[in-house]
């Protein structure tokens, strides 16, 4: 499958019906999700691999990983309404990831999920709850060697510092993408977000 084809399929994934600002429920725009997944795919981290999607929301990354031939995909999210929507999206696109509700900060989560080849995630940026992104980074590096994550542009220094001794930043893909209005405090219909897609490899 080509990148553009994946992007077009992911445009069909439905978004949060009532997104929570507290949980930073922003669906990854299809072009960002496709870029992250395609990057992982070209690095041979998707086809035939076991994938975990932390904070899966409505499932765009899980669905995309299935479309690119992952052997199995498990998505986990705190919000059961989101995992319900994720299941509907997977059905719509004819794929079968497993979705669980749970907290990535739960000490039993690593054992519950077990090891994976690859983690994909778009964690909360920590704009609403300070350090909300940290349990995502911690869990991802406990369960997988290879992690692909979306971070707010400018977070790279923090990320490098935070993972020191556990993993290294393998690659960074920076980009500016359109973000549709999600919350009432967003003033514009469409604004631009600058993100960094970061590939971490466990040391
Ligand atoms: N991965 C999705 C959603 C990104 S928004 C996508 O790419 O579109 C971040 C998601 O993390 C939200 O769905 C939110 O409910 C979830 N989340 C926030 N804190 C969490 C936690 N501690 N444990 C599990 N999920 C969490």
């Amino acid at each position: 499958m080509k990148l553009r084809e994946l992007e077009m399929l992911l445009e069909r994934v439905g978004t949060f019906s009532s997104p929570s600002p507290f949980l930073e429920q922003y669906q990854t725009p299809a072009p960002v999700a496709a870029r992250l997944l395609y990057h992982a795919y070209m690095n041979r981290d998707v086809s035939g691999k076991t994938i975990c999607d932390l904070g899966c929301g409505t499932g765009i990354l899980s669905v995309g990983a299935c479309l690119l031939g992952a052997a199995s995909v498990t998505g986990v999210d705190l919000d059961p309404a989101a995992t319900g929507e994720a299941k509907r999206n997977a059905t719509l696109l004819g794929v079968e990831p497993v979705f669980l509700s749970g907290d990535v900060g739960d000490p039993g989560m690593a054992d519950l999920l077990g090891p994976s080849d690859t983690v994909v995630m778009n964690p909360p940026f920590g704009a609403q709850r300070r350090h909300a992104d940290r349990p995502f980074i911690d869990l991802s590096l406990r369960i997988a060697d290879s992690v692909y994550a979306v971070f707010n542009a400018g977070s790279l220094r923090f990320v490098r510092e935070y993972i020191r001794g556990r993993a290294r930043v393998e690659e960074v893909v920076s980009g500016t993408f359109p973000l549709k209005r999600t919350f009432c405090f967003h003033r514009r219909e469409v604004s631009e977000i600058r993100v960094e897609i970061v590939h971490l490899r466990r040391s």
Side-chain angles (χ1 to χ4, degrees), residues 16 22-29 33 53-61 76-79 82 102-105 121-124 129 132 135-136:
F16 295 98
F22 179 68
L23 290 175
E24 295 188 47
Q25 289 185 325
Y26 296 93
Q27 179 162 301
T28 307
D53 174 6
L54 303 182
C56 62
T58 54
I60 194 164
L61 295 174
V76 57
D77 201 284
L78 198 54
D79 178 8
D103 187 336
V104 301
M121 61 182 189
N122 180 1
R129 283 177 302 149
F136 283 78

